[in-house]
Amino acid sequence: MKKTIITVVGKDTVGIIAKVCTYLADNQINILDISQTIVQDYFNMMMIVDTNHTHKEFGVIVEELVKLGESIGVIIKCQKEEIFNQMHRI
């Protein structure tokens, strides 16, 4: 399984989750876990996804999600699980 961490942060608006999840489904990326909070008017979501079945290169997915985020007014970041774990290791 190829796990990726996706974070989405920005001003809350209607449809953020729907648009991100639609992109993932359209690209055969399975959501394994998801957490979302809204603090006042600010949206924050973290997802763990499985990219094992997508036909796209990781870099392409990252670029497309960045563009999607720009189009809906949020910042979307992706990191492979092993890199995320190394960065947050004590």
Side-chain angles (χ1 to χ4, degrees):
M1 186 177 313
K2 296 180 191 171
K3 290 183 182 176
T4 298
I5 311 301
I6 298 174
T7 58
V8 182
V9 177
K11 193 88 166 154
D12 188 34
T13 68
V14 173
I16 296 171
I17 296 172
K19 289 174 184 165
V20 173
C21 290
T22 297
Y23 173 86
L24 297 176
D26 288 348
N27 288 284
Q28 303 301 309
I29 299 171
N30 188 38
I31 299 168
L32 302 172
D33 201 356
I34 183 171
S35 173
Q36 168 256 292
T37 58
I38 298 169
V39 177
Q40 293 186 11
D41 291 332
Y42 295 95
F43 178 87
N44 185 19
M45 178 169 65
M46 181 176 175
M47 306 171 95
I48 301 173
V49 300
D50 178 7
T51 57
N52 202 41
H53 299 292
T54 188
H55 299 292
K56 291 188 177 178
E57 298 276 332
F58 182 76
V60 172
I61 293 167
V62 170
E63 288 176 20
E64 290 178 349
L65 283 171
V66 166
K67 287 179 186 174
L68 173 63
E70 289 170 355
S71 75
I72 59 176
V74 297
I75 297 169
I76 301 178
K77 297 195 183 261
C78 299
Q79 290 181 304
K80 291 184 178 181
E81 179 187 40
E82 53 272 9
I83 294 171
F84 184 87
N85 287 338
Q86 289 299 320
M87 287 176 53
H88 294 90
R89 210 172 97 193
I90 296 177

